[in-house]
Amino acid sequence: MLQNLSVFIGRRYIGAKRRNHFISFISTVSMIGLTLGVMVLIIVLSVMNGFERELRERILGMVPHGTISGVEPVTNWQELRTQALEHPQVAGAAPYISVTGMLVGPRESRGALVTGIEPDYIDEVSILRDHMVSGDLNSLTPGNWNIVLGQSLARQLGVRQGDRVNVMVPEVSVNIMGVQPRFRGFTVSGIFQVGAQLDADTAFVHMDDMATLKRIPGSVEGIQLRLNDLFQAPAVTRQLAVDMPGQYQFSDWTRTQGNLFQAIQLEKRMVGLLLFMIVAVAAFNIVSSLIMLVTEKQSDIAILRTMGAKPSQIMGIFLVQGGVVGVIGVSIGILLGILGALTIDRIVAFVENLFGFQVLDSSVYFISYLPSELRWDDVILVTCVSLVASFVSTLYPAWRASRTMPAEALRYE
């Protein structure tokens, strides 16, 4: 029995009724604190992973990973596209013309990035076609002057499919009326929705229509690239721009969306660190409860010592008790955290419908819903750190119990 003394007595102490109910209360609070800390940590990390995934798949799925543009209008874009596709990292390439213009609708005017595209190639660099809610990208044909708008932008302008909208570009025309901005009426032939800020500030037309509007017929500004590894975009676009004959400028998604991606990474680390503090506080409660338990059990410890129990066995008793509290609290927290991470979108949707408000407004945030992606490496990390923290918190009370001197403890008994 002495071989299993620590486990046997440690288990008895867990379930036994104590004279001091406050110790039981503190132990329960410690367990609940660990449970809540682990649960919230897993859910929050999963939500941050979801934001990162949405940025990668939605935002970076709509915008090109890289662009190569000419100093002058580019006429040999087919050759540039062929050369770009020869690079092993380039998965797709498409020509483009873009301009920041003013869209004028019946309700109001809005600034937007208007991009001239070739529908036959756009699928190589964008997921735009997969997110059309009305109309079709094939409606963008040369000379028809059709335009595809984001859903939020169309709502702000007060237009629907089939309505007319005027596009005003910053290039000016000089005529007998003086210097005037260049504009053209377009017919809304489609509306897309990706659930991001792009819905409110992006529009697409055929590149031949945009070339006519910018007075560069038969030319484009450059080519857009989609890469197999988006994190290689800066190096790949720079290399292609240098290798291509002529003078070309290059850009990549890290210049337009990089700050958002870095902000999500930083917030994930900071939020994770702050929530780990909750786990640390809960673990500290284990220290408090075990110290009070050691004080209450002084006479019991002394009797065990006089019966031949070793200091290591006494220490093991309280290690078992604190460890069980930690394991139970962390285990329940893991189960609730996994369940919460898998259902957080439905929980938030239920709360939104119940109280009639939106947690994430697409006009403020880059998505309009709460994403979640459970990663098992995060679960393993949280589990290990929490278990280590709860185990470390038991060391000092257990060591203090093992240092109990029988004569001192039984002097007044």
Side-chain angles (χ1 to χ4, degrees), residues 323-374:
V324 169
V325 172
V327 169
I328 294 177
V330 172
S331 300
I332 297 176
I334 291 172
L335 294 177
L336 294 178
I338 293 174
L339 181 62
L342 296 176
T343 60
I344 187 65
D345 53 342
R346 281 169 281 182
I347 295 174
V348 172
F350 173 77
V351 173
E352 289 179 341
N353 294 330
L354 182 63
F355 295 99
F357 72 95
Q358 190 173 13
V359 174
L360 297 178
D361 188 353
S362 60
S363 63
V364 178
Y365 303 97
F366 73 93
I367 57 175
S368 57
Y369 60 96
L370 196 65
S372 178
E373 180 182 0
L374 180 66

Side-chain angles (χ1 to χ4, degrees), residues 284-398:
F284 184 78
N285 288 334
I286 296 179
V287 177
S288 304
S289 63
L290 286 182
I291 288 178
M292 288 188 291
L293 182 63
V294 169
T295 303
E296 181 188 18
K297 299 296 183 180
Q298 286 284 340
S299 59
D300 295 349
I301 296 171
I303 294 173
L304 289 173
R305 289 294 306 277
T306 57
M307 294 175 63
K310 299 177 181 178
S312 59
Q313 292 175 317
I314 300 299
M315 187 174 181
I317 292 172
F318 294 95
L319 288 177
V320 168
Q321 183 168 6
V324 169
V325 172
V327 169
I328 294 177
V330 172
S331 300
I332 297 176
I334 291 172
L335 294 177
L336 294 178
I338 293 174
L339 181 62
L342 296 176
T343 60
I344 187 65
D345 53 342
R346 281 169 281 182
I347 295 174
V348 172
F350 173 77
V351 173
E352 289 179 341
N353 294 330
L354 182 63
F355 295 99
F357 72 95
Q358 190 173 13
V359 174
L360 297 178
D361 188 353
S362 60
S363 63
V364 178
Y365 303 97
F366 73 93
I367 57 175
S368 57
Y369 60 96
L370 196 65
S372 178
E373 180 182 0
L374 180 66
R375 296 180 183 174
W376 291 109
D377 55 344
D378 287 339
V379 175
I380 293 174
L381 176 62
V382 171
T383 302
C384 293
V385 172
S386 302
L387 288 176
V388 169
S390 61
F391 175 75
V392 169
S393 65
T394 64
L395 292 178
Y396 174 72

Side-chain angles (χ1 to χ4, degrees), residues 48-297:
M48 300 305 293
N49 292 335
F51 275 106
E52 181 182 338
R53 180 198 63 202
E54 293 301 315
L55 172 64
R56 184 174 61 250
E57 295 182 357
R58 285 182 174 265
I59 306 300
L60 298 183
M62 283 290 295
V63 303
H65 294 168
T67 59
I68 299 176
S69 57
V71 178
E72 299 292 335
V74 178
T75 56
N76 61 334
W77 63 266
Q78 294 91 345
E79 299 176 8
L80 299 182
R81 177 177 178 274
T82 301
Q83 183 176 349
L85 289 174
E86 294 176 355
H87 195 285
Q89 278 290 341
V90 177
Y96 80 98
I97 306 174
S98 64
V99 63
T100 301
M102 181 70 69
L103 276 63
V104 182
R107 182 177 301 171
E108 61 178 282
S109 302
R110 302 288 297 184
L113 178 65
V114 184
T115 303
I117 62 172
E118 174 55 62
D120 294 337
Y121 296 112
I122 191 62
D123 293 340
E124 296 186 16
V125 297
S126 175
I127 59 174
L128 175 61
R129 194 183 299 273
D130 298 332
H131 293 274
M132 297 293 296
V133 295
S134 67
D136 191 353
L137 279 182
N138 293 330
S139 62
L140 300 180
T141 54
N144 284 341
W145 301 98
N146 290 332
I147 188 171
V148 172
L149 304 176
Q151 188 176 58
S152 298
L153 180 59
R155 182 172 58 252
Q156 293 167 357
L157 295 175
V159 296
R160 295 180 296 179
Q161 184 177 355
D163 293 341
R164 298 280 293 179
V165 60
N166 290 324
V167 177
M168 185 181 303
V169 297
E171 285 80 4
V172 296
S173 301
V174 180
N175 51 39
I176 59 174
M177 301 296 294
V179 179
Q180 294 181 338
R182 195 173 303 154
F183 67 93
R184 174 77 192 200
F186 285 80
T187 301
V188 179
S189 62
I191 296 175
F192 70 88
Q193 181 186 18
V194 294
Q197 180 62 29
L198 295 173
D199 293 345
D201 55 19
T202 309
F204 296 93
V205 301
H206 195 277
M207 68 176 188
D208 289 347
D209 292 343
M210 180 58 70
T212 301
L213 187 60
K214 294 193 67 173
R215 295 186 177 178
I216 53 171
S219 303
V220 299
E221 288 187 359
I223 56 174
Q224 299 175 333
L225 304 175
R226 183 173 184 83
L227 306 181
N228 294 318
D229 183 1
L230 60 90
F231 295 103
Q232 296 294 324
V236 172
T237 52
R238 183 185 301 108
Q239 178 184 348
L240 288 174
V242 172
D243 294 342
M244 288 179 176
Q247 295 183 346
Y248 294 95
Q249 301 172 339
F250 62 91
S251 182
D252 59 85
W253 69 270
T254 60
R255 300 187 181 185
T256 57
Q257 307 292 336
N259 290 337
L260 181 59
F261 186 83
Q262 293 174 0
I264 292 176
Q265 291 290 323
L266 178 61
E267 289 177 3
K268 180 180 177 181
R269 296 189 186 99
M270 295 304 299
V271 170
L273 179 61
L274 293 175
L275 291 177
F276 270 124
M277 296 299 102
I278 297 178
V279 177
V281 170
F284 184 78
N285 288 334
I286 296 179
V287 177
S288 304
S289 63
L290 286 182
I291 288 178
M292 288 188 291
L293 182 63
V294 169
T295 303
E296 181 188 18
K297 299 296 183 180

